[in-house]
Amino acid sequence: MSGFILTDDNYYTPEANQHYFSCSQFEEFMDCEAAALAHVQGRYAPPESDAFFLGKYFHSYFEGRDAFEAFCNDPENFGRIFKTKTTKSRGTEIIGKYAGPTQMDTMIHAAEDDVSIKKLIDMPGKTEVSMHGKLFNRYPWRIRLDKLIPDMNLIIDWKTVANIRELKYDSSQHKRVSFVETYNYMFRAAIYSQIYKEYTGANMPLFWLVCVSKQDPPDKEVINLTHPQRYELELEKVSQKIARFQA
């Protein structure tokens, strides 16, 4: 790996993309190999959608107060979050937030008002934990856990979704499936659990999605995705593609 050492600071850099697979990168290759390769080589940068930005806003809140304030006050983010007004007498002052961040705030408050989710928020653990390993003992892969609760051997993944209960048609399965299947979260759970075991030497972890919907009022759910047999199927799917993507 040419001496490259993965850290929290360089996790999202082009160099990390060149040295390690990630779940997002693998999905990019599944969607379009040419675009994914151009991204790795630095010839193309996918535009950041509003939904992706708001997801980062939501996630940063659960990292802790300092992380959330740093995210909001970052010059690149500030103007996308806050409405401002400038006058001669008062200078520039914040007069509110735009609709997207305001909706995220409503969802954050809904999560904190839920007794079960609040326990997970308050439970001692580590946030934004970077780990790496070799998938199938060959392919360097990196993961970043939203929250790790070591005492429970539990991985928490925060998710904002349009509708937790909605089923969408999947042409490959010829049936309607949940958002978990639509957005391949079982694939992510399988990869995270495998790399976590290799990195820590611990047993198979629990993997829970903590979901909050964008509805009014927001719906909430904690979904246990821990399923070793299903993980084997997801890893088999990866094994069929990864050699080509690595090449």
Side-chain angles (χ1 to χ4, degrees):
M1 290 184 286
S2 305
F4 180 83
I5 299 175
L6 185 70
T7 67
D8 288 341
D9 292 333
N10 65 25
Y11 185 91
Y12 292 110
T13 62
E15 291 77 17
N17 282 337
Q18 293 166 8
H19 289 87
Y20 291 91
F21 276 104
S22 68
C23 290
S24 297
Q25 185 187 79
F26 190 86
E27 289 177 323
E28 283 185 34
F29 272 100
M30 291 293 290
D31 288 340
C32 178
E33 293 180 4
L37 184 59
H39 189 192
V40 172
Q41 294 174 339
R43 296 183 288 108
Y44 167 73
E48 181 180 271
S49 67
D50 288 340
F52 185 74
F53 173 76
L54 293 174
K56 292 197 298 184
Y57 176 94
F58 183 89
H59 277 72
S60 70
Y61 180 86
F62 296 105
E63 288 182 54
R65 181 186 299 274
D66 291 344
F68 185 62
E69 290 183 355
F71 180 86
C72 291
N73 291 323
D74 186 309
E76 293 186 4
N77 302 331
F78 187 91
R80 300 178 69 175
I81 298 170
F82 298 106
K83 299 177 181 178
T84 60
K85 179 180 180 181
T86 302
T87 61
K88 290 183 178 180
S89 59
R90 301 174 65 91
T92 300
E93 57 185 349
I94 296 172
I95 59 173
K97 290 184 179 180
Y98 289 105
T102 297
Q103 182 186 40
M104 292 297 109
D105 288 343
T106 299
M107 295 164 65
I108 288 167
H109 294 150
E112 292 192 312
D113 287 341
D114 184 283
V115 174
S116 297
I117 295 177
K118 188 65 165 65
K119 286 182 179 178
L120 295 175
I121 294 171
D122 293 340
M123 196 169 291
K126 303 174 182 178
T127 61
E128 295 299 310
V129 182
S130 300
M131 296 182 178
H132 58 86
K134 286 191 174 181
L135 200 61
F136 311 123
N137 297 314
R138 181 176 179 182
Y139 303 100
W141 203 295
R142 72 192 193 273
I143 61 174
R144 196 171 179 101
L145 312 181
D146 290 347
K147 184 170 184 177
L148 172 64
I149 302 176
D151 289 348
M152 294 181 62
N153 201 32
L154 170 63
I155 295 171
I156 297 291
D157 207 37
W158 310 111
K159 289 298 176 193
T160 61
V161 300
N163 186 328
I164 296 171
R165 318 295 166 183
E166 182 180 17
L167 300 179
K168 293 187 176 181
Y169 185 75
D170 186 322
S171 58
S172 65
Q173 300 187 54
H174 305 291
K175 64 179 182 180
R176 294 167 67 84
V177 299
S178 73
F179 79 93
V180 171
E181 299 290 347
T182 298
Y183 296 106
N184 296 319
Y185 290 140
M186 288 303 302
F187 152 73
R188 192 169 295 262
I191 295 291
Y192 277 35
S193 298
Q194 186 67 27
I195 297 300
Y196 171 85
K197 287 197 304 176
E198 180 180 334
Y199 188 87
T200 65
N203 295 325
M204 176 72 69
L206 298 170
F207 190 99
W208 293 357
L209 288 184
V210 178
C211 311
V212 184
S213 81
K214 299 176 182 178
Q215 297 160 297
D216 184 17
D219 193 8
K220 301 149 290 183
E221 190 74 59
V222 178
I223 304 175
N224 183 2
L225 296 190
T226 312
H227 196 313
Q229 292 76 24
R230 176 62 186 273
Y231 290 173
E232 292 180 6
L233 175 61
E234 294 299 326
L235 292 171
E236 174 61 26
K237 293 178 183 177
V238 174
S239 72
Q240 295 171 9
K241 297 286 186 179
I242 194 169
R244 174 180 173 82
F245 295 164
Q246 178 67 46

